[in-house]
Amino acid sequence: MQYKSWRVITGTVTVTATLTGAGSCDLSVPITASAILEIVPEMRLDPELSLLAWDPAGSTVYSVPHTVTGGSEDRRLAWSTANTSLASTNQAGLVTVTGSVLGSSLVTAHLSRHSHCDATARVVTLPATQLSLDPDRQEFEVGTLLRVPLSLSSALGQISHCHALPLRPAQSDPAFTGGVPPSAVTQSCASVSVDTDKVAHSKLTVTWSYVTEAGDTLTLADSKYIASYTPLVPVKPASGETVVALDTERELTWTGGPGAWPLQPSGHFARVSIGDQGLVTATRSGQGAGGEYTWRIRCLAVGETKVTLTVGNSASKTLPRPVEVSSEVRVHCARPHTVSLSPQIAGPGTPGLPPCPLQARQGRLAAQAYLDLKILVTLKDESDRVIDSVAGVKVNWDISDQKLGQVKIPDTVMQDEVSAYQILKVVGKTGNVDITASIARNGGLLGSSSNSDVAKIVLVDDAILQPASLSLFELETGKAASSQGSGYFTVIQETKDIISGSFNAPMSEVRISPVATGAATLSLVDLCLSARKEAKIDVNPVNVTPSQAH
């Protein structure tokens, strides 16, 4: 007697059969038998089909891992292959296939305790008919690795493993390097890795040849263009953030990003988007030869927004999936709130001097009466942020003694790539002068709604020593008075075996003591100011005592 069972859910079930009789003969005591039926999920092998490229002349060996789904949870498996001349397997399901053998083999995994519960897969070696490079992108950043998927086709479909073949990648530009990694990538039988340390483009070609069953050499090949680029980053400002005064302009500059595609350079683009167009306008200033992109922005109202640059190429037949990269600069449009001045006074050029004393940079500062004075101007907004772009901002200038000098531009400031500044045009006269800069704050003009700063300057000539020459007896001490200069000096002697000199700051004089007879020169060097001419004194000690002279 046979019974059929239908699987409903997985698990175990007890099946009981009872025989009560046969035909018209009934049993006084029924006969009963039971068995436990284990219902398990259907077993499957993954992958079910592996197509491998036949390599008749090579020593290619493929390793194809298989996994089992279904069966009992505590399954113990036995693995086997039908065509052992082509394929063999270990008990972990890793099938080793000889690439030089043409044919196929079944791979079987069954439960050790229940051989009727099994799953099969097939491995096939067959001739490849086409090689294709299938990059998801052809542009990549310098310093990163580009992986270009490679596929082989056959009469039965796509080859599943081919990274073990002797594939030959080549580049038209030797700056690009790489090879075929020893593992496949998702949905392709192999990949080509490419890297470079320079911005360039190259033609990547991959070839593979084998001898067909007819004895002919078949070469499969494909080529794709690739290009590298540096990251798209802002260079002006390099921080990616800028504060711009209301109603003024500045340039934003980026560098990097994908360059023009060599097969269709007209498809290259660079475009800017503005988060809040009510705050900022942007006009393109041009593209530099070094791949720079510059836009000039203007602040229309107080607030904050982002200016984003996107660079890339339009899709084309040779570049179906172009890369677009973006970089943003945060723009704060603000009103100036405070102003501060910092005179830039030319210091000494003599190496090895002691530093200019701190007290010389406090209070009224000494500056050369014959050099125009550059004064750095710093404007900050209400949040105490330095405003980067201030050209055209209204700044009122006042000079306490206009006989000593005038500012170059009386109503505003000048600005270069580094800073905002004003120039005091001097006339060569010495004396005290105060330079005052004032700005109007929001809500009024000067008065209580203004802010100002003063640079207090004393214009001086180069230091001089009087007398310019001095004769001393050997045991006598001499003096030379100093004037002009910053007042902070050091003494330099050409020879120390004839005289000894030192500067007495409170008395503004140089004290000189002979050491031996002869001729020597002593220089008074300013520690804080450059000089057109050093202050010097010639000293001539003689070997005659004062008593002998009388």
Side-chain angles (χ1 to χ4, degrees):
M1 184 178 295
Q2 293 183 342
Y3 293 89
K4 293 182 179 180
S5 62
W6 289 266
R7 187 182 70 180
V8 179
I9 59 174
T10 60
T12 59
V13 62
T14 301
V15 180
T16 301
T18 302
L19 180 65
T20 60
S24 60
C25 181
D26 296 329
L27 297 177
S28 59
V29 179
I31 300 173
T32 301
S34 298
I36 297 176
L37 176 65
E38 182 181 2
I39 303 174
V40 299
E42 181 182 2
M43 290 177 59
R44 292 182 180 275
L45 280 186
D46 184 34
E48 292 184 348
L49 176 64
S50 297
L51 301 179
L52 310 173
W54 177 48
D55 184 21
S59 56
T60 302
V61 176
Y62 300 102
S63 296
V64 184
H66 289 77
T67 57
V68 176
T69 58
S72 59
E73 294 183 358
D74 60 344
R75 61 176 176 259
R76 294 184 180 180
L77 300 173
W79 293 80
S80 62
T81 58
N83 184 354
T84 55
S85 63
L86 172 70
S88 62
T89 180
N90 63 18
Q91 294 309 300
L94 182 64
V95 177
T96 301
V97 182
T98 303
S100 60
V101 177
L102 191 64
S104 67
S105 176
L106 281 178
V107 178
T108 302
H110 65 259
L111 297 179
S112 299
R113 294 187 298 112
H114 308 289
S115 60
H116 60 281
C117 294
D118 63 9
T120 60
R122 182 178 296 273
V123 293
V124 181
T125 55
L126 73 171
T129 57
Q130 184 178 359
L131 184 153
S132 300
L133 294 174
D134 308 304
D136 55 358
R137 59 190 177 96
Q138 293 166 253
E139 302 160 290
F140 68 106
E141 197 173 290
V142 168
T144 64
L145 190 67
L146 174 68
R147 287 191 181 272
V148 180
L150 180 150
S151 62
L152 284 177
S153 301
S154 70
L156 297 182
Q158 294 292 317
I159 299 293
S160 55
H161 295 71
C162 63
H163 55 272
L165 293 173
L167 302 168
R168 296 190 298 274
Q171 298 280 359
S172 63
D173 188 333
F176 290 80
T177 59
V180 179
S183 62
V185 295
T186 304
Q187 297 182 343
S188 65
C189 65
S191 68
V192 181
S193 63
V194 180
D195 61 8
T196 185
D197 58 0
K198 62 179 287 188
V199 175
H201 62 270
S202 179
K203 184 179 181 181
L204 168 65
T205 301
V206 179
T207 59
W208 178 55
S209 301
Y210 69 93
V211 179
T212 67
E213 290 183 282
D216 300 323
T217 299
L218 178 63
T219 298
L220 305 179
D222 194 18
S223 299
K224 287 291 186 295
Y225 277 89
I226 56 176
S228 58
Y229 60 89
T230 55
L232 180 65
V233 294
V235 292
K236 295 177 185 178
S239 65
E241 188 168 4
T242 182
V243 184
V244 181
L246 187 64
D247 295 325
T248 67
E249 299 180 348
R250 75 152 295 167
E251 287 187 338
L252 304 182
T253 300
W254 289 263
T255 186
W261 187 243
L263 301 184
Q264 190 173 339
S266 62
H268 189 257
F269 65 85
R271 58 175 178 260
V272 151
S273 61
I274 302 172
D276 188 342
Q277 296 184 8
L279 294 181
V280 170
T281 61
T283 305
R284 187 162 187 178
S285 299
Q287 180 175 351
E292 292 185 343
Y293 307 94
T294 300
W295 265 260
R296 178 168 289 276
I297 63 167
R298 182 176 183 84
C299 273
L300 306 177
V302 174
E304 176 185 322
T305 189
K306 294 179 180 177
V307 178
T308 303
L309 173 68
T310 302
V311 176
N313 290 278
S314 300
S316 63
K317 184 177 180 180
T318 57
L319 185 66
R321 292 179 288 274
V323 172
E324 292 185 10
V325 297
S326 297
S327 175
E328 66 181 33
V329 172
R330 186 178 295 274
V331 179
H332 305 273
C333 296
R335 289 187 177 93
H337 190 68
T338 62
V339 59
S340 59
L341 305 180
S342 177
Q344 302 298 290
I345 301 170
T350 304
L353 293 178
C356 178
L358 181 61
Q359 57 267 34
R361 297 305 184 193
Q362 298 173 348
R364 192 170 293 277
L365 307 180
Q368 297 89 340
Y370 52 85
L371 290 179
D372 290 342
L373 179 61
K374 184 177 183 179
I375 304 172
L376 297 186
V377 181
T378 301
L379 297 178
K380 294 184 178 181
D381 66 1
E382 287 185 318
S383 299
D384 203 38
R385 295 175 299 203
V386 175
I387 300 178
D388 304 316
S389 178
V390 297
V393 170
K394 178 70 174 179
V395 179
N396 292 325
W397 294 92
D398 180 72
I399 307 300
S400 62
D401 189 345
Q402 297 189 10
K403 295 179 181 179
L404 298 181
Q406 298 282 343
V407 292
K408 185 174 182 179
I409 300 180
D411 297 325
T412 183
V413 294
M414 294 169 281
Q415 188 161 19
D416 56 23
E417 295 290 338
V418 178
S419 59
Y421 62 95
Q422 179 63 274
I423 299 292
L424 177 66
K425 303 289 291 184
V426 297
V427 296
K429 295 181 179 181
T430 61
N432 293 341
V433 61
D434 294 344
I435 304 105
T436 303
S438 301
I439 61 170
R441 292 185 179 180
N442 187 26
L445 180 62
L446 301 182
S448 61
S449 60
S450 67
N451 181 258
S452 62
D453 192 25
V454 181
K456 297 180 178 292
I457 302 295
V458 54
L459 297 174
V460 298
D461 281 330
D462 291 339
I464 58 174
L465 284 174
Q466 292 179 333
S469 62
L470 190 64
S471 295
L472 295 174
F473 296 113
E474 192 172 358
L475 301 178
E476 187 180 11
T477 299
K479 301 176 183 179
S482 67
S483 59
Q484 295 296 314
S486 70
Y488 299 91
F489 304 101
T490 188
V491 172
I492 295 179
Q493 301 172 216
E494 295 180 358
T495 56
K496 296 184 178 180
D497 55 347
I498 297 177
I499 59 173
S500 174
S502 62
F503 178 68
N504 186 329
M507 301 299 294
S508 296
E509 63 182 19
V510 174
R511 295 183 177 179
I512 306 164
S513 299
V515 176
T517 59
T521 299
L522 181 147
S523 299
L524 186 66
V525 179
D526 202 313
L527 296 177
C528 303
L529 299 177
S530 65
R532 293 178 295 185
K533 184 179 180 181
E534 287 185 348
K536 294 185 177 183
I537 182 173
D538 296 323
V539 183
N540 294 286
V542 294
N543 190 18
V544 179
T545 64
S547 59
Q548 290 174 324
H550 289 293

